[in-house]
Amino acid sequence: MTTQSILGNTRRADISFSPNGKIDIASCIVKALGMEKGDVIDIMVDGGEYYLYVSIHASVVFGRHEAQCYPTQNGSRHFRTYCRRLCTAILQATGNERACFAAGEMVEVNGRKAIPIITCKNLRHD
């Protein structure tokens, strides 16, 4: 008889991308980047590495913007946004239909606080 783990990988994702444009961001990323309700995110690519960063802070945002983040529930520290362009770019680059990734420690890239997205392993559990 062969034994097999039911759970397998128990690492939870820090950020997830769906084909409909939904991006869920875990509280650890929100805290590390000092995100606030209404911040606009973007992803930069540097040498094949992907970095999530706040492109426009809520304090200077006027009007509606693509990839503007809001808490998933009132008072929640998990954020969500919808941006099909970001999702499509990440999903195509990584070859996934839907993806959940871990994040690295906060770094500075081009003078901005950024979080590396570890795209080499999709943590999606089906």
Side-chain angles (χ1 to χ4, degrees), residues 17-22 84 87-88 91 97-99:
F17 299 89
S18 299
N20 67 353
K22 181 174 79 168
R84 192 170 289 217
C87 283
T88 299
L91 296 176
E97 289 182 23
R98 182 167 298 191

Side-chain angles (χ1 to χ4, degrees), residues 53-113:
Y53 69 101
V54 175
S55 62
I56 307 172
H57 290 280
S59 59
V60 295
V61 168
F62 293 101
R64 295 177 49 208
H65 289 263
E66 192 173 13
Q68 200 166 9
C69 298
Y70 293 96
T72 56
Q73 295 179 349
N74 195 13
S76 175
R77 292 179 297 176
H78 291 77
F79 278 29
R80 177 174 290 155
T81 188
Y82 286 87
C83 182
R84 192 170 289 217
R85 287 195 302 158
L86 283 179
C87 283
T88 299
I90 291 292
L91 296 176
Q92 285 180 349
T94 60
N96 295 298
E97 289 182 23
R98 182 167 298 191
C100 301
F101 299 119
E105 296 293 319
M106 201 261 309
V107 295
E108 194 167 303
V109 180
N110 297 333
R112 294 179 177 266
K113 288 195 314 186

Side-chain angles (χ1 to χ4, degrees), residues 25-43:
I25 305 168
S27 61
C28 60
I29 293 177
V30 171
K31 183 178 179 181
L33 292 177
M35 292 177 66
E36 295 183 16
K37 176 182 173 181
D39 282 354
V40 178
I41 61 163
D42 198 356
I43 296 174

